[in-house]
Amino acid sequence: MAKGEGAESGSAAGLLPTGILPAAERPAQVKKQPKKKQQLSICNKLCYAVGGAPYQVTGCALGFFLQIYLLDVAQVDPFSASIILFVGRAWDAFTDPLVGFCISKSSWTRLGRLMPWIIFSTPLAIIAYFLIWFVPDFPQGQALWYLLFYCLFETLVTCFHVPYSALTMFISTEQSERDSATAYRMTVEVLGTVLGTAIQGQIVGQVDTPCLQDPKDSSLATEGANRTQSTTSLKETQNAYLLAAGVIASIYVVCAVILTLGVREQREPYETQQAEPMSFFRGLRLVMSHGPYVKLIAGFLFTSLAFMLVEGNFALFCTYTLGFRNEFQNLLLAIMLSATFTIPIWQWFLTRFGKKTAVYIGISSAVPFLILVAFMESNLIVTYVVAVAAGISVAAAFLLPWSMLPDVIDDFHLKQPQSHGTEPIFFSFYVFFTKFASGVSLGISTLSLDFAGYQTRGCSQPERVKFTLKMLVTIAPIALILLGLLLFKLYPIDEEKRRQNKKALQALREEASSSGCSDTDSTELASIL
């Protein structure tokens, strides 16, 4: 890490190979560059953005509904359900570097290096997703069934999402175009979370599971509830979940087809000059010793953990602490719609004032509203106002990490000009740390509520549980956000550094284009779709 930090202070031009700088001074060479207009059309950006929806739609449906489905519909015992959720989340985190390793060993094909992973994982992923929501006839092996297909789906959706995330670096060589495409993508992804919640919630929301008035008398109450719920109504509930799974699987397929047909993967000119790709472990060592990358993921690790604590406990907080049992879906919709409409504003803001400024203002804007939630009385109108305002900060948290990662990769390419094929490592390990934060938040929340005396399926909860939920949704996220913003102070790539890197990379591409290496690979790839 010290090595990466020491290199940060040097100028971008000084980091280039010696043969590159003279090439940048040749007037004829610079004139020959109107080819660099690599502008993406709005159609290209929309097709790229649509590819982010499958991960968000399925992830949102699983995140909000899988637990209640396992307990109340599939009737898996709570201990087995907790094992399924924990192991599935942990496996999901570890598949990211694993898939990143496999992608880094992939060679370029007629469709590119990343697109084949997206194409071939899609049909298997939708089958696995559908089977997660299917109740098998053998009660004895149900836990194993759900664990198997949950882990299988998470592996396959990772085979889609990691190459899709890395595709940001291959849709254009222009920073501004990549940032614009990322803003389109984040808007669609936020819409995907809204869509996932709306589809799943509206289709299965007709089922009303009764709560227990006296949780201590659970044996009698449960027996009464079971007697009331007939086999046919349970079957209807299972069919509703299958219908929702079918609709979401259809969206997954449509989005994958649009992405495949509408996006062309481009190869960097200087990359074609490299004889053989770098080994994964050498690439990993170089990536994890790159100072800006370590500082970026450290900052976003804490801010992601803050927002995931809020997300994971939002339903329980609305239901038991605020007393809005029937308003949870509407409040979530208000947050996500607000985030969707403010992402273009954040895109304009980061272009106008810089990405680091956008991080400080965007993510810290959640703090006053979290403080308001901590001290206000239960008031539905105020809660809706806070939800809309919180969506503004959620939009920044969605957009900024994916907008800043390409800058870190550009900086890495300048410091390691002979290293290529490391993009999947950058993206897969960022996703790994994000999912790790999600697993930590899930564990902390569950343990805290257990220690506080949480009553399963209770109509109300003890005061200690309400207080714990308030801490998990307000005070803990505020502390994590402040810690994350403190770490961002160490992040070295500001707007001046980005401009230097952009010029230096352009010089590198000019040198690669002029050195007799033909662009036949890129031309062939351009003609395929």
Side-chain angles (χ1 to χ4, degrees):
M1 188 161 164
K3 215 160 83 175
E5 287 170 6
E8 284 160 16
S9 56
S11 73
L15 294 165
L16 294 174
T18 52
I20 289 176
L21 292 177
E25 296 171 4
R26 281 180 281 187
Q29 192 66 33
V30 175
K31 259 195 175 206
K32 211 177 166 183
Q33 196 55 23
K35 224 179 187 176
K36 104 182 170 165
K37 293 184 185 171
Q38 262 192 343
Q39 296 228 335
L40 295 172
S41 67
I42 292 177
C43 180
N44 290 142
K45 292 174 186 176
L46 285 172
C47 289
Y48 167 72
V50 162
Y55 181 76
Q56 296 299 336
V57 173
T58 55
C60 192
L62 287 168
F64 284 114
F65 294 95
L66 183 59
Q67 185 179 36
I68 194 169
Y69 166 79
L70 291 174
L71 293 172
D72 293 348
V73 181
Q75 297 181 347
V76 177
D77 66 274
F79 177 76
S80 298
S82 65
I83 293 293
I84 292 166
L85 294 169
F86 176 76
V87 172
R89 201 69 76 90
W91 176 253
D92 185 23
F94 281 104
T95 53
D96 287 290
L98 185 65
V99 170
F101 168 76
C102 296
I103 293 173
S104 71
K105 305 304 265 180
S106 302
S107 55
W108 280 81
T109 66
R110 286 174 57 83
L111 291 172
R113 186 154 59 106
L114 305 172
M115 278 298 185
W117 287 83
I118 293 170
I119 293 167
F120 293 114
S121 66
T122 296
L124 298 174
I126 60 168
I127 293 170
Y129 180 78
F130 189 79
L131 291 175
I132 289 173
W133 304 102
F134 176 75
V135 180
D137 291 332
F138 40 89
Q140 302 287 343
Q142 272 190 349
L144 187 59
W145 170 280
Y146 291 115
L147 180 61
L148 172 66
F149 285 108
Y150 187 32
C151 290
L152 180 60
F153 172 73
E154 293 297 351
T155 304
L156 291 166
V157 81
T158 298
C159 290
F160 182 102
H161 191 63
V162 168
Y164 171 73
S165 300
L167 191 61
T168 309
M169 298 302 299
F170 297 97
I171 56 174
S172 175
T173 56
E174 291 294 314
Q175 284 181 351
S176 58
E177 290 299 300
R178 292 198 303 246
D179 289 345
S180 176
T182 299
Y184 276 80
R185 171 191 165 187
M186 291 303 113
T187 303
V188 172
E189 288 196 356
V190 174
L191 280 172
T193 63
V194 175
L195 198 59
T197 307
I199 290 171
Q200 194 86 5
Q202 292 302 317
I203 294 177
V204 305
Q206 305 159 16
V207 180
D208 186 20
T209 306
C211 61
L212 306 179
Q213 296 293 341
D214 184 8
K216 290 178 184 175
D217 191 20
S218 59
S219 59
L220 265 173
T222 305
E223 195 171 296
N226 286 341
R227 211 175 279 125
T228 311
Q229 185 179 23
S230 65
T231 309
T232 53
S233 67
L234 182 60
K235 195 69 182 168
E236 285 171 7
T237 307
Q238 294 170 359
N239 290 337
Y241 273 94
L242 282 176
L243 176 60
V247 173
I248 288 175
S250 303
I251 293 171
Y252 194 119
V253 173
V254 170
C255 292
V257 170
I258 292 172
L259 173 67
T260 306
L261 296 178
V263 176
R264 177 167 54 89
E265 190 177 343
Q266 301 177 20
R267 198 171 185 177
E268 286 279 18
Y270 61 79
E271 193 177 308
T272 60
Q273 295 180 327
Q274 311 298 326
E276 57 182 67
M278 179 188 301
S279 72
F280 175 79
F281 293 105
R282 180 164 173 259
L284 177 60
R285 191 169 64 252
L286 287 172
V287 166
M288 298 311 294
S289 64
H290 187 56
Y293 181 66
V294 173
K295 291 164 187 172
L296 184 72
I297 61 173
F300 277 120
L301 180 67
F302 286 102
T303 55
S304 297
L305 182 55
F307 284 102
M308 286 172 185
L309 272 175
V310 176
E311 179 191 47
N313 297 283
F314 186 74
L316 295 174
F317 178 72
C318 287
T319 301
Y320 296 115
T321 306
L322 298 180
F324 303 139
R325 179 180 289 273
N326 298 321
E327 293 291 332
F328 157 62
Q329 291 182 3
N330 296 330
L331 287 166
L332 180 65
L333 192 63
I335 292 173
M336 291 307 175
L337 285 175
S338 170
T340 303
F341 291 125
T342 50
I343 278 182
I345 298 172
W346 283 119
Q347 172 62 20
W348 169 83
F349 187 93
L350 66 86
T351 306
R352 179 74 176 80
F353 299 102
K355 295 180 183 180
K356 284 188 76 171
T357 307
V359 166
Y360 293 133
I361 294 177
I363 293 180
S364 64
S365 65
V367 173
F369 299 107
L370 292 174
I371 293 172
L372 180 61
V373 168
F375 293 105
M376 76 175 184
E377 294 296 323
S378 178
N379 184 301
L380 186 58
I381 296 174
V382 174
T383 305
Y384 269 105
V385 172
V386 170
V388 171
I392 299 171
S393 190
V394 169
F398 257 83
L399 174 66
L400 290 166
W402 299 108
S403 182
M404 295 170 82
L405 265 175
D407 300 335
V408 171
I409 297 172
D410 285 344
D411 188 71
F412 176 82
H413 283 160
L414 287 172
K415 291 173 182 171
Q416 304 287 344
Q418 302 304 315
S419 307
H420 68 97
T422 54
E423 292 84 1
I425 300 176
F426 276 99
F427 284 96
S428 64
F429 271 86
Y430 171 71
V431 176
F432 167 78
F433 285 119
T434 304
K435 289 178 179 176
F436 173 76
S438 175
V440 168
S441 70
L442 183 67
I444 290 173
S445 303
T446 307
L447 283 175
S448 302
L449 292 173
D450 188 38
F451 290 146
Y454 180 80
Q455 303 289 344
T456 306
R457 290 182 61 194
C459 288
S460 62
Q461 296 293 338
E463 286 302 317
R464 284 182 306 166
V465 173
K466 295 179 182 179
F467 177 77
T468 303
L469 284 168
K470 187 170 280 194
M471 292 299 102
L472 289 171
V473 172
T474 57
I475 304 303
I478 289 170
L480 290 166
I481 285 172
L482 294 177
L483 183 56
L485 292 177
L486 200 61
L487 289 170
F488 276 120
K489 290 289 286 180
L490 305 174
Y491 179 67
I493 302 178
D494 54 15
E495 290 309 295
E496 180 60 32
K497 179 73 172 174
R498 282 183 67 221
R499 279 192 289 270
Q500 290 175 6
N501 286 352
K502 182 178 179 180
K503 288 178 185 175
L505 273 172
Q506 192 57 49
L508 186 66
R509 291 181 185 118
E510 287 175 15
E511 179 67 14
S513 298
S514 67
S515 66
C517 175
S518 74
D519 261 36
T520 52
D521 288 340
S522 297
T523 310
E524 180 187 356
L525 187 61
S527 65
I528 289 170
L529 297 177

